[in-house]
PDB file of all heavy atoms in Angstrom:
ATOM      1  N   ALA P   7      90.706 100.744  85.763  1.00 98.00           N
ATOM      2  CA  ALA P   7      90.043 101.892  85.002  1.00 98.00           C
ATOM      3  C   ALA P   7      90.894 103.028  84.964  1.00 98.00           C
ATOM      4  O   ALA P   7      90.645 104.046  84.176  1.00 98.00           O
ATOM      5  CB  ALA P   7      88.675 102.243  85.734  1.00 98.00           C
ATOM      6  N   ARG P   8      91.964 103.201  85.695  1.00 98.00           N
ATOM      7  CA  ARG P   8      92.843 104.386  85.812  1.00 98.00           C
ATOM      8  C   ARG P   8      93.367 104.815  84.487  1.00 98.00           C
ATOM      9  O   ARG P   8      93.233 105.943  84.066  1.00 98.00           O
ATOM     10  CB  ARG P   8      93.949 104.144  86.847  1.00 98.00           C
ATOM     11  CG  ARG P   8      94.670 105.438  87.186  1.00 98.00           C
ATOM     12  CD  ARG P   8      95.898 105.265  88.154  1.00 98.00           C
ATOM     13  NE  ARG P   8      96.264 106.478  88.731  1.00 98.00           N
ATOM     14  CZ  ARG P   8      96.925 107.525  88.094  1.00 98.00           C
ATOM     15  NH1 ARG P   8      97.420 107.174  86.784  1.00 98.00           N
ATOM     16  NH2 ARG P   8      97.349 108.503  88.665  1.00 98.00           N
ATOM     17  N   PRO P   9      93.857 103.968  83.602  1.00 98.00           N
ATOM     18  CA  PRO P   9      94.260 104.456  82.274  1.00 98.00           C
ATOM     19  C   PRO P   9      93.104 105.093  81.525  1.00 98.00           C
ATOM     20  O   PRO P   9      93.247 106.118  80.789  1.00 98.00           O
ATOM     21  CB  PRO P   9      94.702 103.222  81.487  1.00 98.00           C
ATOM     22  CG  PRO P   9      95.200 102.166  82.552  1.00 98.00           C
ATOM     23  CD  PRO P   9      94.140 102.503  83.758  1.00 98.00           C
ATOM     24  N   GLY P  10      91.837 104.561  81.514  1.00 98.00           N
ATOM     25  CA  GLY P  10      90.745 105.174  80.893  1.00 98.00           C
ATOM     26  C   GLY P  10      90.405 106.472  81.604  1.00 98.00           C
ATOM     27  O   GLY P  10      90.125 107.549  80.824  1.00 98.00           O
ATOM     28  N   TYR P  11      90.520 106.648  82.817  1.00 98.00           N
ATOM     29  CA  TYR P  11      90.233 107.971  83.497  1.00 98.00           C
ATOM     30  C   TYR P  11      91.287 109.055  83.025  1.00 98.00           C
ATOM     31  O   TYR P  11      91.025 110.161  82.735  1.00 98.00           O
ATOM     32  CB  TYR P  11      90.459 107.849  85.066  1.00 98.00           C
ATOM     33  CG  TYR P  11      89.385 106.992  85.696  1.00 98.00           C
ATOM     34  CD1 TYR P  11      89.734 106.306  86.869  1.00 98.00           C
ATOM     35  CD2 TYR P  11      88.118 106.980  85.341  1.00 98.00           C
ATOM     36  CE1 TYR P  11      88.769 105.557  87.510  1.00 98.00           C
ATOM     37  CE2 TYR P  11      87.144 106.197  85.975  1.00 98.00           C
ATOM     38  CZ  TYR P  11      87.475 105.573  87.149  1.00 98.00           C
ATOM     39  OH  TYR P  11      86.482 104.721  87.715  1.00 98.00           O
ATOM     40  N   ALA P  12      92.595 108.603  82.846  1.00 98.00           N
ATOM     41  CA  ALA P  12      93.694 109.425  82.427  1.00 98.00           C
ATOM     42  C   ALA P  12      93.396 109.909  80.958  1.00 98.00           C
ATOM     43  O   ALA P  12      93.565 111.141  80.645  1.00 98.00           O
ATOM     44  CB  ALA P  12      94.932 108.767  82.583  1.00 98.00           C
ATOM     45  N   ALA P  13      93.030 109.016  80.216  1.00 98.00           N
ATOM     46  CA  ALA P  13      92.662 109.240  78.816  1.00 98.00           C
ATOM     47  C   ALA P  13      91.496 110.185  78.705  1.00 98.00           C
ATOM     48  O   ALA P  13      91.552 111.108  77.886  1.00 98.00           O
ATOM     49  CB  ALA P  13      92.433 107.960  78.022  1.00 98.00           C
ATOM     50  N   ALA P  14      90.449 109.936  79.384  1.00 98.00           N
ATOM     51  CA  ALA P  14      89.401 110.910  79.353  1.00 98.00           C
ATOM     52  C   ALA P  14      89.730 112.248  79.911  1.00 98.00           C
ATOM     53  O   ALA P  14      89.200 113.339  79.282  1.00 98.00           O
ATOM     54  CB  ALA P  14      88.224 110.422  80.293  1.00 98.00           C
ATOM     55  N   ALA P  15      90.528 112.553  80.841  1.00 98.00           N
ATOM     56  CA  ALA P  15      90.981 113.728  81.344  1.00 98.00           C
ATOM     57  C   ALA P  15      91.791 114.371  80.241  1.00 98.00           C
ATOM     58  O   ALA P  15      91.754 115.632  80.020  1.00 98.00           O
ATOM     59  CB  ALA P  15      91.756 113.549  82.670  1.00 98.00           C
ATOM     60  N   ALA P  16      92.646 113.709  79.611  1.00 97.00           N
ATOM     61  CA  ALA P  16      93.543 114.229  78.449  1.00 97.00           C
ATOM     62  C   ALA P  16      92.709 114.840  77.356  1.00 97.00           C
ATOM     63  O   ALA P  16      93.168 115.886  76.836  1.00 97.00           O
ATOM     64  CB  ALA P  16      94.541 113.108  77.976  1.00 97.00           C
ATOM     65  N   ARG P  17      91.628 114.202  77.049  1.00 97.00           N
ATOM     66  CA  ARG P  17      90.715 114.661  76.100  1.00 97.00           C
ATOM     67  C   ARG P  17      90.028 115.996  76.412  1.00 97.00           C
ATOM     68  O   ARG P  17      89.730 116.840  75.593  1.00 97.00           O
ATOM     69  CB  ARG P  17      89.649 113.589  75.792  1.00 97.00           C
ATOM     70  CG  ARG P  17      90.070 112.458  74.871  1.00 97.00           C
ATOM     71  CD  ARG P  17      89.084 111.524  74.424  1.00 97.00           C
ATOM     72  NE  ARG P  17      88.306 110.988  75.418  1.00 97.00           N
ATOM     73  CZ  ARG P  17      88.609 109.746  75.825  1.00 97.00           C
ATOM     74  NH1 ARG P  17      89.575 108.989  75.401  1.00 97.00           N
ATOM     75  NH2 ARG P  17      87.763 109.174  76.822  1.00 97.00           N
ATOM     76  N   GLN P  18      90.138 116.254  77.699  1.00 97.00           N
ATOM     77  CA  GLN P  18      89.585 117.565  78.284  1.00 97.00           C
ATOM     78  C   GLN P  18      90.710 118.594  78.658  1.00 97.00           C
ATOM     79  O   GLN P  18      90.440 119.599  79.154  1.00 97.00           O
ATOM     80  CB  GLN P  18      88.741 117.307  79.578  1.00 97.00           C
ATOM     81  CG  GLN P  18      87.617 116.412  79.341  1.00 97.00           C
ATOM     82  CD  GLN P  18      86.561 116.984  78.287  1.00 97.00           C
ATOM     83  OE1 GLN P  18      86.232 118.102  78.311  1.00 97.00           O
ATOM     84  NE2 GLN P  18      86.212 116.013  77.460  1.00 97.00           N
ATOM     85  N   GLY P  19      91.836 118.359  78.193  1.00 96.00           N
ATOM     86  CA  GLY P  19      93.138 119.135  78.354  1.00 96.00           C
ATOM     87  C   GLY P  19      93.514 119.086  79.793  1.00 96.00           C
ATOM     88  O   GLY P  19      94.171 120.077  80.282  1.00 96.00           O
ATOM     89  N   ALA P  20      93.363 117.964  80.454  1.00 97.00           N
ATOM     90  CA  ALA P  20      93.666 117.841  81.877  1.00 97.00           C
ATOM     91  C   ALA P  20      94.611 116.560  82.154  1.00 97.00           C
ATOM     92  O   ALA P  20      94.590 115.706  81.266  1.00 97.00           O
ATOM     93  CB  ALA P  20      92.496 117.890  82.711  1.00 97.00           C
ATOM     94  N   VAL P  21      95.221 116.510  83.356  1.00 97.00           N
ATOM     95  CA  VAL P  21      96.066 115.437  83.657  1.00 97.00           C
ATOM     96  C   VAL P  21      95.490 114.894  84.981  1.00 97.00           C
ATOM     97  O   VAL P  21      95.201 115.587  85.894  1.00 97.00           O
ATOM     98  CB  VAL P  21      97.456 115.845  83.772  1.00 97.00           C
ATOM     99  CG1 VAL P  21      98.380 114.623  84.374  1.00 97.00           C
ATOM    100  CG2 VAL P  21      98.095 116.293  82.491  1.00 97.00           C
ATOM    101  N   LEU P  22      95.394 113.491  85.087  1.00 97.00           N
ATOM    102  CA  LEU P  22      94.918 112.786  86.250  1.00 97.00           C
ATOM    103  C   LEU P  22      96.152 112.839  87.267  1.00 97.00           C
ATOM    104  O   LEU P  22      97.162 112.275  86.857  1.00 97.00           O
ATOM    105  CB  LEU P  22      94.327 111.456  85.990  1.00 97.00           C
ATOM    106  CG  LEU P  22      94.014 110.618  87.147  1.00 97.00           C
ATOM    107  CD1 LEU P  22      92.804 111.247  87.898  1.00 97.00           C
ATOM    108  CD2 LEU P  22      93.584 109.072  86.729  1.00 97.00           C
ATOM    109  N   LEU P  23      95.962 113.352  88.331  1.00 96.00           N
ATOM    110  CA  LEU P  23      96.964 113.303  89.390  1.00 96.00           C
ATOM    111  C   LEU P  23      96.875 112.106  90.308  1.00 96.00           C
ATOM    112  O   LEU P  23      97.963 111.299  90.550  1.00 96.00           O
ATOM    113  CB  LEU P  23      97.034 114.596  90.336  1.00 96.00           C
ATOM    114  CG  LEU P  23      97.271 115.889  89.516  1.00 96.00           C
ATOM    115  CD1 LEU P  23      97.152 117.143  90.455  1.00 96.00           C
ATOM    116  CD2 LEU P  23      98.672 115.832  88.804  1.00 96.00           C
ATOM    117  N   TRP P  24      95.774 111.872  90.871  1.00 96.00           N
ATOM    118  CA  TRP P  24      95.573 110.764  91.865  1.00 96.00           C
ATOM    119  C   TRP P  24      94.099 110.477  91.940  1.00 96.00           C
ATOM    120  O   TRP P  24      93.309 111.222  91.520  1.00 96.00           O
ATOM    121  CB  TRP P  24      96.256 110.929  93.198  1.00 96.00           C
ATOM    122  CG  TRP P  24      95.538 112.035  94.124  1.00 96.00           C
ATOM    123  CD1 TRP P  24      94.458 111.884  94.899  1.00 96.00           C
ATOM    124  CD2 TRP P  24      96.003 113.387  94.276  1.00 96.00           C
ATOM    125  NE1 TRP P  24      94.096 112.985  95.480  1.00 96.00           N
ATOM    126  CE2 TRP P  24      95.055 113.851  95.187  1.00 96.00           C
ATOM    127  CE3 TRP P  24      96.963 114.111  93.839  1.00 96.00           C
ATOM    128  CZ2 TRP P  24      95.152 115.208  95.630  1.00 96.00           C
ATOM    129  CZ3 TRP P  24      97.084 115.384  94.213  1.00 96.00           C
ATOM    130  CH2 TRP P  24      96.101 115.944  95.102  1.00 96.00           C
ATOM    131  N   THR P  25      93.824 109.281  92.765  1.00 97.00           N
ATOM    132  CA  THR P  25      92.397 108.909  92.903  1.00 97.00           C
ATOM    133  C   THR P  25      92.317 108.807  94.435  1.00 97.00           C
ATOM    134  O   THR P  25      93.304 108.571  95.152  1.00 97.00           O
ATOM    135  CB  THR P  25      92.146 107.528  92.272  1.00 97.00           C
ATOM    136  OG1 THR P  25      92.904 106.431  92.949  1.00 97.00           O
ATOM    137  CG2 THR P  25      92.481 107.542  90.728  1.00 97.00           C
ATOM    138  N   THR P  26      91.206 109.040  94.982  1.00 96.00           N
ATOM    139  CA  THR P  26      90.851 109.011  96.303  1.00 96.00           C
ATOM    140  C   THR P  26      89.650 108.136  96.540  1.00 96.00           C
ATOM    141  O   THR P  26      88.555 108.388  96.021  1.00 96.00           O
ATOM    142  CB  THR P  26      90.507 110.465  96.967  1.00 96.00           C
ATOM    143  OG1 THR P  26      91.599 111.322  96.721  1.00 96.00           O
ATOM    144  CG2 THR P  26      90.128 110.402  98.367  1.00 96.00           C
ATOM    145  N   PRO P  27      89.788 107.033  97.258  1.00 94.00           N
ATOM    146  CA  PRO P  27      88.651 106.044  97.589  1.00 94.00           C
ATOM    147  C   PRO P  27      87.744 106.617  98.681  1.00 94.00           C
ATOM    148  O   PRO P  27      88.245 107.096  99.706  1.00 94.00           O
ATOM    149  CB  PRO P  27      89.356 104.776  97.820  1.00 94.00           C
ATOM    150  CG  PRO P  27      90.651 105.263  98.552  1.00 94.00           C
ATOM    151  CD  PRO P  27      90.955 106.549  97.881  1.00 94.00           C
ATOM    152  N   TRP P  28      86.436 106.489  98.482  1.00 94.00           N
ATOM    153  CA  TRP P  28      85.450 106.669  99.537  1.00 94.00           C
ATOM    154  C   TRP P  28      85.051 105.434 100.269  1.00 94.00           C
ATOM    155  O   TRP P  28      85.048 104.517  99.571  1.00 94.00           O
ATOM    156  CB  TRP P  28      84.154 107.391  99.035  1.00 94.00           C
ATOM    157  CG  TRP P  28      84.286 108.873  98.456  1.00 94.00           C
ATOM    158  CD1 TRP P  28      84.610 109.242  97.308  1.00 94.00           C
ATOM    159  CD2 TRP P  28      83.957 109.967  99.319  1.00 94.00           C
ATOM    160  NE1 TRP P  28      84.478 110.677  97.256  1.00 94.00           N
ATOM    161  CE2 TRP P  28      84.237 111.002  98.437  1.00 94.00           C
ATOM    162  CE3 TRP P  28      83.669 110.126 100.650  1.00 94.00           C
ATOM    163  CZ2 TRP P  28      84.075 112.365  98.975  1.00 94.00           C
ATOM    164  CZ3 TRP P  28      83.442 111.341 101.125  1.00 94.00           C
ATOM    165  CH2 TRP P  28      83.690 112.588 100.325  1.00 94.00           C
ATOM    166  N   PRO P  29      84.709 105.533 101.448  1.00 93.00           N
ATOM    167  CA  PRO P  29      84.037 104.384 102.110  1.00 93.00           C
ATOM    168  C   PRO P  29      82.816 104.023 101.497  1.00 93.00           C
ATOM    169  O   PRO P  29      82.295 104.782 100.707  1.00 93.00           O
ATOM    170  CB  PRO P  29      83.803 104.810 103.603  1.00 93.00           C
ATOM    171  CG  PRO P  29      84.756 106.039 103.769  1.00 93.00           C
ATOM    172  CD  PRO P  29      84.924 106.658 102.427  1.00 93.00           C
ATOM    173  N   PRO P  30      82.173 102.863 101.780  1.00 93.00           N
ATOM    174  CA  PRO P  30      80.991 102.477 100.951  1.00 93.00           C
ATOM    175  C   PRO P  30      79.859 103.429 101.360  1.00 93.00           C
ATOM    176  O   PRO P  30      79.736 103.957 102.335  1.00 93.00           O
ATOM    177  CB  PRO P  30      80.712 101.014 101.501  1.00 93.00           C
ATOM    178  CG  PRO P  30      81.477 100.965 102.853  1.00 93.00           C
ATOM    179  CD  PRO P  30      82.656 101.870 102.667  1.00 93.00           C
ATOM    180  N   SER P  31      79.019 103.525 100.271  1.00 94.00           N
ATOM    181  CA  SER P  31      77.902 104.509 100.263  1.00 94.00           C
ATOM    182  C   SER P  31      76.787 103.877 101.083  1.00 94.00           C
ATOM    183  O   SER P  31      76.540 102.658 101.144  1.00 94.00           O
ATOM    184  CB  SER P  31      77.361 104.904  98.810  1.00 94.00           C
ATOM    185  OG  SER P  31      78.474 105.498  98.220  1.00 94.00           O
ATOM    186  N   GLY P  32      75.962 104.660 101.760  1.00 94.00           N
ATOM    187  CA  GLY P  32      74.752 104.348 102.356  1.00 94.00           C
ATOM    188  C   GLY P  32      73.802 105.469 102.397  1.00 94.00           C
ATOM    189  O   GLY P  32      73.947 106.430 101.682  1.00 94.00           O
ATOM    190  N   PHE P  33      72.838 105.465 103.380  1.00 96.00           N
ATOM    191  CA  PHE P  33      71.783 106.393 103.481  1.00 96.00           C
ATOM    192  C   PHE P  33      71.751 107.085 104.763  1.00 96.00           C
ATOM    193  O   PHE P  33      71.708 106.511 105.845  1.00 96.00           O
ATOM    194  CB  PHE P  33      70.469 105.735 103.218  1.00 96.00           C
ATOM    195  CG  PHE P  33      70.291 104.940 102.064  1.00 96.00           C
ATOM    196  CD1 PHE P  33      70.166 103.472 102.254  1.00 96.00           C
ATOM    197  CD2 PHE P  33      70.208 105.490 100.784  1.00 96.00           C
ATOM    198  CE1 PHE P  33      70.006 102.678 100.993  1.00 96.00           C
ATOM    199  CE2 PHE P  33      70.013 104.636  99.647  1.00 96.00           C
ATOM    200  CZ  PHE P  33      70.076 103.309  99.744  1.00 96.00           C
ATOM    201  N   TRP P  34      71.968 108.491 104.625  1.00 96.00           N
ATOM    202  CA  TRP P  34      71.768 109.328 105.980  1.00 96.00           C
ATOM    203  C   TRP P  34      70.316 109.734 105.960  1.00 96.00           C
ATOM    204  O   TRP P  34      69.772 110.325 104.973  1.00 96.00           O
ATOM    205  CB  TRP P  34      72.785 110.563 105.705  1.00 96.00           C
ATOM    206  CG  TRP P  34      74.255 110.355 105.839  1.00 96.00           C
ATOM    207  CD1 TRP P  34      75.035 110.001 104.865  1.00 96.00           C
ATOM    208  CD2 TRP P  34      74.967 110.296 106.960  1.00 96.00           C
ATOM    209  NE1 TRP P  34      76.395 109.857 105.297  1.00 96.00           N
ATOM    210  CE2 TRP P  34      76.307 109.968 106.626  1.00 96.00           C
ATOM    211  CE3 TRP P  34      74.581 110.574 108.322  1.00 96.00           C
ATOM    212  CZ2 TRP P  34      77.270 109.869 107.611  1.00 96.00           C
ATOM    213  CZ3 TRP P  34      75.636 110.458 109.232  1.00 96.00           C
ATOM    214  CH2 TRP P  34      76.990 110.217 108.833  1.00 96.00           C
ATOM    215  N   THR P  35      69.555 109.496 106.921  1.00 96.00           N
ATOM    216  CA  THR P  35      68.312 109.759 107.071  1.00 96.00           C
ATOM    217  C   THR P  35      67.815 110.209 108.516  1.00 96.00           C
ATOM    218  O   THR P  35      68.530 110.175 109.477  1.00 96.00           O
ATOM    219  CB  THR P  35      67.379 108.384 106.743  1.00 96.00           C
ATOM    220  OG1 THR P  35      67.979 107.393 107.606  1.00 96.00           O
ATOM    221  CG2 THR P  35      67.612 107.979 105.309  1.00 96.00           C
ATOM    222  N   ARG P  36      66.611 110.678 108.583  1.00 94.00           N
ATOM    223  CA  ARG P  36      66.122 111.097 109.804  1.00 94.00           C
ATOM    224  C   ARG P  36      65.741 109.844 110.693  1.00 94.00           C
ATOM    225  O   ARG P  36      65.839 109.905 111.840  1.00 94.00           O
ATOM    226  CB  ARG P  36      64.824 112.012 109.689  1.00 94.00           C
ATOM    227  CG  ARG P  36      65.142 113.351 109.030  1.00 94.00           C
ATOM    228  CD  ARG P  36      64.016 114.283 109.035  1.00 94.00           C
ATOM    229  NE  ARG P  36      64.411 115.578 108.696  1.00 94.00           N
ATOM    230  CZ  ARG P  36      64.298 116.098 107.383  1.00 94.00           C
ATOM    231  NH1 ARG P  36      63.881 115.113 106.387  1.00 94.00           N
ATOM    232  NH2 ARG P  36      64.701 117.185 107.029  1.00 94.00           N
ATOM    233  N   GLU P  37      65.193 108.818 110.056  1.00 92.00           N
ATOM    234  CA  GLU P  37      64.872 107.560 110.740  1.00 92.00           C
ATOM    235  C   GLU P  37      65.538 106.526 109.959  1.00 92.00           C
ATOM    236  O   GLU P  37      66.012 106.545 108.911  1.00 92.00           O
ATOM    237  CB  GLU P  37      63.279 107.329 110.600  1.00 92.00           C
ATOM    238  CG  GLU P  37      62.401 108.457 111.151  1.00 92.00           C
ATOM    239  CD  GLU P  37      62.646 108.545 112.764  1.00 92.00           C
ATOM    240  OE1 GLU P  37      63.123 107.513 113.432  1.00 92.00           O
ATOM    241  OE2 GLU P  37      62.452 109.647 113.248  1.00 92.00           O
ATOM    242  N   PRO P  38      65.972 105.342 110.654  1.00 91.00           N
ATOM    243  CA  PRO P  38      66.744 104.339 110.036  1.00 91.00           C
ATOM    244  C   PRO P  38      65.835 103.653 108.869  1.00 91.00           C
ATOM    245  O   PRO P  38      64.711 103.571 108.916  1.00 91.00           O
ATOM    246  CB  PRO P  38      66.745 103.240 111.173  1.00 91.00           C
ATOM    247  CG  PRO P  38      66.534 104.036 112.437  1.00 91.00           C
ATOM    248  CD  PRO P  38      65.593 105.097 112.178  1.00 91.00           C
TER     249      PRO P  38
END
């Protein structure tokens, strides 16, 4: 997807510098 991200940024007058991966998503809750 990176070329697509870069192209989408370019259409907004910006340049993609890098990507940062997050760990997998889950639920932060009061009770499990």
Side-chain angles (χ1 to χ4, degrees):
R8 194 179 193 284
Y11 295 146
R17 289 192 289 272
Q18 302 299 317
V21 172
L22 176 65
L23 297 178
W24 70 80
T25 69
T26 302
W28 284 93
S31 302
F33 305 112
W34 290 91
T35 54
R36 293 188 175 91
E37 301 296 333

